[in-house]
């Protein structure tokens, strides 16, 4: 009889967990990712497309997530014409993200902690140019929408061009190592 009760409890717990655990697929066409990079003499910004993404929930609480970014889609939005084309091409080159050899970047959540109403502190692994490093992000969820904020240090991913971490005497030609990503996700 004890074995029967134990089996029933395990079956119920498994059923309850599977009912509550949900994976939500990110709507890549409705979601938007904006990047902003900074240099001594100003900044540039643009967009990048999400190739795929999921968020995992237990009930209404976020428990995990994974995103793949299409690095070939990196696009400058603050320039036009020839200057835009030059910067887009340069960002895709080996000087920056080397999209021919590294067409995607990946973020995998490794730990999610509720930090407030609808707000989460997320630890994850970010892979850019085949190099993976830990990263901390903030994420807020409201219904079927989420907002993610990341600050990425490009020098950790061998994105060297114009970086004072790798080159001396750049003066006003220096590009800061950290850049920002803000993602508005729909799922």
């Amino acid at each position: 009889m004890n074995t029967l009760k134990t089996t029933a409890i395990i079956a119920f717990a498994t059923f309850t967990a599977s009912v509550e655990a949900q994976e939500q697929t990110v709507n890549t066409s409705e979601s938007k990712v904006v990047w902003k990079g900074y240099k001594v003499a100003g900044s540039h910004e643009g967009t990048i497309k999400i190739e795929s993404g999921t968020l995992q929930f237990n009930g209404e609480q976020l428990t995990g997530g994974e995103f793949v970014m299409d690095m070939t889609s990196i696009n400058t939005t603050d320039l036009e014409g020839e200057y835009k084309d030059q910067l887009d091409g340069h960002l895709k080159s080996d000087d920056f993200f080397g999209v021919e050899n590294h067409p995607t970047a990946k973020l995998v959540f490794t730990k999610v902690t509720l930090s407030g109403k609808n707000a989460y502190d997320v630890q994850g692994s970010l892979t850019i140019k085949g190099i993976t490093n830990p990263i901390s992000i903030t994420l807020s969820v409201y219904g079927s929408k989420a907002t993610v904020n990341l600050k990425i240090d490009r020098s950790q991913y061998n994105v060297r061009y114009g970086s004072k971490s790798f080159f001396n005497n750049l003066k006003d030609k220096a590009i800061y190592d950290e850049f920002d990503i803000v993602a508005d996700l729909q799922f």
Side-chain angles (χ1 to χ4, degrees):
M1 189 76 159
N2 247 351
T3 305
L4 184 58
K5 279 185 182 179
T6 303
T7 303
I9 291 169
I10 291 171
F12 178 75
T14 303
F15 173 76
T16 304
S18 66
V19 168
E20 290 183 14
Q22 303 171 5
E23 183 170 271
Q24 298 290 330
T25 300
V26 173
N27 182 333
T28 57
S29 61
E30 295 293 321
S31 299
K32 184 175 184 180
V33 178
V34 176
W35 60 267
K36 188 166 188 175
Y38 306 91
K39 56 186 182 172
V40 173
S43 64
H44 288 293
E45 63 184 63
T47 59
I48 189 165
K49 292 181 182 175
I50 300 171
E51 184 174 293
S52 63
T54 58
L55 292 171
Q56 287 89 39
F57 292 89
N58 188 353
E60 293 185 11
Q61 186 164 342
L62 181 70
T63 59
E66 183 172 307
F67 297 89
V68 176
M69 304 304 300
D70 177 4
M71 297 304 288
T72 66
S73 72
I74 197 161
N75 176 48
T76 308
T77 57
D78 67 324
L79 296 174
E80 295 179 359
E82 178 184 341
Y83 294 113
K84 174 190 172 15
D85 293 343
Q86 286 177 356
L87 183 53
D88 287 352
H90 199 196
L91 290 171
K92 292 175 184 178
S93 78
D94 289 337
D95 280 346
F96 283 92
F97 297 104
V99 302
E100 188 173 311
N101 294 317
H102 306 284
T104 61
K106 187 174 187 177
L107 172 64
V108 178
F109 296 0
T110 56
K111 182 179 179 186
V112 179
T113 306
L114 185 64
S115 61
K117 184 172 173 63
N118 303 321
Y120 298 88
D121 291 326
V122 177
Q123 302 298 311
S125 295
L126 178 63
T127 303
I128 299 174
K129 293 180 74 173
I131 300 168
T132 302
N133 285 298
I135 191 162
S136 298
I137 65 174
T138 57
L139 186 141
S140 300
V141 178
Y142 299 97
S144 62
K145 297 180 181 182
T147 302
V148 182
N149 296 290
L150 295 92
K151 187 171 285 295
I152 300 170
D153 180 348
R154 67 189 178 101
S155 69
Q156 293 182 344
Y157 301 93
N158 202 29
V159 180
R160 303 169 72 115
Y161 186 85
S163 169
K164 286 184 175 181
S165 295
F166 299 101
F167 303 103
N168 295 323
N169 301 322
L170 292 171
K171 299 181 183 172
D172 65 347
K173 302 290 186 200
I175 301 168
Y176 297 114
D177 287 339
E178 290 189 331
F179 65 97
D180 296 322
I181 298 278
V182 176
D184 291 316
L185 307 172
Q186 304 275 335
F187 51 92

